[in-house]
Amino acid sequence: MTDATNNPLSGLWMPTQLQRLYYGSGSVSKHLLDCLPNENSKAFIITGNSLATKTPLVKDVEKLLGSKHAGTFSKIGEHAPVAQLDEATKIVENDSSVDTVISIGGGSPIDSAKAISYRLHDKSGKWLHHVAIPTTLSASECTLMAGYTESNGVKTGVRAPELVPHVVLYDASFALHTPERLWTSTGLRAMDHAIELLYHPTASEMPARWLCLQSAASLFQHLPSYKSNPKDEDIITKLQLAAFASLGFLGYNIKGGLGLSHALGYALGSPYSIPHGITSCLTLGHVVKLKAQDPEAAKQVARLLPFINETPSGDAKKDAEKVGERLLKLVKDLGLDSDLRNYKVERSEIPVITQRATGGQESGPVYDAVEGLVKGLFP
């Protein structure tokens, strides 16, 4: 089997089990019932408290399902705490009629739905049919991984090819209910996916890297437009498609984690209650400038310049650093966090964060480089 490499004219892309991608305002009301696996299907909804209590969205989906609605669990919190996951799994396990899980929300409900399916498969040998209705740009609906938080606050997870949702519904009318700061910060999370997949050594040139370039270009263009006009459903749909392009063509052939910005995101996120969209705002620009020192990564990142109306100089290192600067400017222009001043993280945590992000290293050139980056996040 030939793996994808940094050589663009040799590789392999293995598509996931995604069956349908619907997009456009009103797509949930038009298509949800057609997304169920059969006419006798029963669907269980996984969502968060805010969506269930502060918006009409969950009630609307319950109404659409009618007699096919088997129940709703709306206690999923940020970073998907394991206690809530245990509770939801038990409820679904006790209802043998459920063959479908519908996740509504951001990464935590979507990852929780995946993790519930994984746990039930461990016990019964069957996977749940998963319909994802994302309300952020975090793109969890694109992956075969499910992250959740252990009782000690550290993020862990499971992965299996069968965890990729079978159907994704991007409905701009649902995203109108997402707080603007959450939407734009998860847009930076999508940018994080696009750029780290772009320089990932096992990413396929076609379609993964091609779509990552388009994704990043669209995010650079449309996130500021959204900030100016957050009720424009066309802009929302363009951003949803950009989020899908950032990770939807990851494929089954990818090996290892996405990259350093994601590793730092896990080291900073659940242990210190920092949303993953914000961790990408904090780390991505700096990581790209650091990766500019790596000739192979720099060569890939430099490809982005013409897509963001910049002229390449021909010096991959300088060009990749320019992309890093543009990312830092985008975070600032969107009014998002660029350092840790708004979060309760002490400077004494720098070695802990660095070790987590580097897979347990305590010294060496990689440790030193990452430690320097983490130090720079403190005001």
Side-chain angles (χ1 to χ4, degrees):
M1 184 166 74
T2 307
D3 291 321
T5 65
N6 280 321
N7 176 359
L9 298 181
S10 174
L12 166 74
W13 178 63
M14 297 171 65
T16 68
Q17 68 177 11
L18 178 70
Q19 297 168 0
R20 302 186 202 181
L21 170 71
Y22 289 108
Y23 53 93
S25 188
S27 56
V28 170
S29 61
K30 287 177 200 165
H31 302 297
L32 180 64
L33 291 178
D34 295 335
C35 298
L36 301 178
N38 63 66
E39 59 184 25
N40 298 317
S41 289
K42 292 276 189 175
F44 192 87
I45 296 170
I46 301 290
T47 190
N49 184 58
S50 291
L51 276 173
T53 60
K54 296 177 182 175
T55 78
L57 300 179
V58 177
K59 287 276 183 285
D60 288 349
V61 172
E62 290 174 349
K63 198 179 294 180
L64 271 171
L65 289 170
S67 61
K68 298 179 185 301
H69 176 228
T72 297
F73 186 87
S74 59
K75 298 182 196 172
I76 299 297
E78 195 168 76
H79 300 295
V82 72
Q84 295 162 1
L85 198 56
D86 291 341
E87 190 180 343
T89 303
K90 202 164 194 175
I91 295 168
V92 178
E93 188 183 354
N94 288 336
D95 187 345
S96 59
S97 70
V98 174
D99 64 356
T100 300
V101 63
I102 298 174
S103 55
I104 308 173
S108 294
I110 295 170
D111 276 9
S112 295
K114 293 187 213 171
I116 289 165
S117 183
Y118 186 92
R119 288 160 155 219
L120 292 177
H121 174 262
D122 268 358
K123 294 182 178 181
S124 70
K126 293 178 183 175
W127 299 96
L128 292 172
H129 185 78
H130 185 177
V131 178
I133 306 173
T135 61
T136 74
L137 297 170
S138 60
S140 172
E141 64 276 5
C142 299
T143 76
L144 50 81
M145 295 155 280
Y148 56 92
T149 305
E150 296 283 16
S151 52
N152 62 1
V154 176
K155 196 89 177 238
T156 186
V158 292
R159 59 186 294 155
E162 296 85 357
L163 291 186
V164 178
H166 299 82
V167 181
V168 176
L169 289 148
Y170 287 127
D171 191 326
S173 68
F174 273 53
L176 287 173
H177 295 273
T178 303
E180 291 171 28
R181 179 179 164 83
L182 176 60
W183 186 258
T184 52
S185 65
T186 56
L188 262 294
R189 188 68 175 167
M191 184 80 81
D192 205 340
H193 303 323
I195 289 177
E196 294 227 288
L197 188 53
L198 184 61
Y199 60 62
H200 196 288
T202 70
S204 64
E205 175 70 7
M206 171 57 70
R209 287 195 179 116
W210 281 37
L211 270 297
C212 287
L213 290 166
Q214 185 63 48
S215 169
S218 186
L219 291 163
F220 264 110
Q221 180 183 353
H222 296 301
L223 282 169
S225 302
Y226 169 86
K227 186 170 172 60
S228 301
N229 189 2
K231 299 303 180 189
D232 187 323
E233 294 187 22
D234 286 351
I235 291 172
I236 288 171
T237 300
K238 287 174 182 177
L239 287 168
Q240 289 173 319
L241 295 179
F244 184 77
S246 77
L247 215 51
F249 298 90
L250 181 78
Y252 286 148
N253 51 279
I254 204 86
K255 289 183 171 58
L258 267 187
L260 176 58
S261 185
H262 279 72
L264 281 163
Y266 292 124
L268 286 165
S270 49
Y272 307 103
S273 299
I274 304 174
H276 273 317
I278 296 296
T279 64
S280 292
C281 296
L282 297 172
T283 62
L284 181 59
H286 299 294
V287 167
V288 168
K289 291 177 75 175
L290 183 61
K291 295 295 283 188
Q293 317 306 312
D294 171 353
E296 287 295 338
K299 188 168 71 178
Q300 295 296 341
V301 174
R303 296 170 68 183
L304 185 55
L305 282 186
F307 288 81
I308 56 174
N309 301 317
E310 297 276 5
T311 304
S313 69
D315 181 329
K317 179 175 177 291
K318 283 184 181 172
D319 290 348
E321 285 176 343
K322 185 181 273 190
V323 172
E325 289 295 342
R326 283 288 305 270
L327 288 163
L328 294 172
K329 182 179 184 300
L330 179 63
V331 170
K332 189 176 177 184
D333 290 348
L334 293 172
L336 297 168
D337 293 329
S338 56
D339 59 43
L340 286 166
R341 75 183 66 210
N342 294 323
Y343 302 95
K344 294 176 182 174
V345 188
E346 303 294 332
R347 293 186 74 90
S348 59
E349 295 292 293
I350 290 171
V352 178
I353 295 165
T354 306
Q355 283 174 31
R356 281 191 190 128
T358 57
Q361 293 186 34
E362 295 181 7
S363 61
V366 172
Y367 179 94
D368 293 343
V370 175
E371 183 186 49
L373 193 159
V374 175
K375 283 179 178 174
L377 298 179
F378 287 84

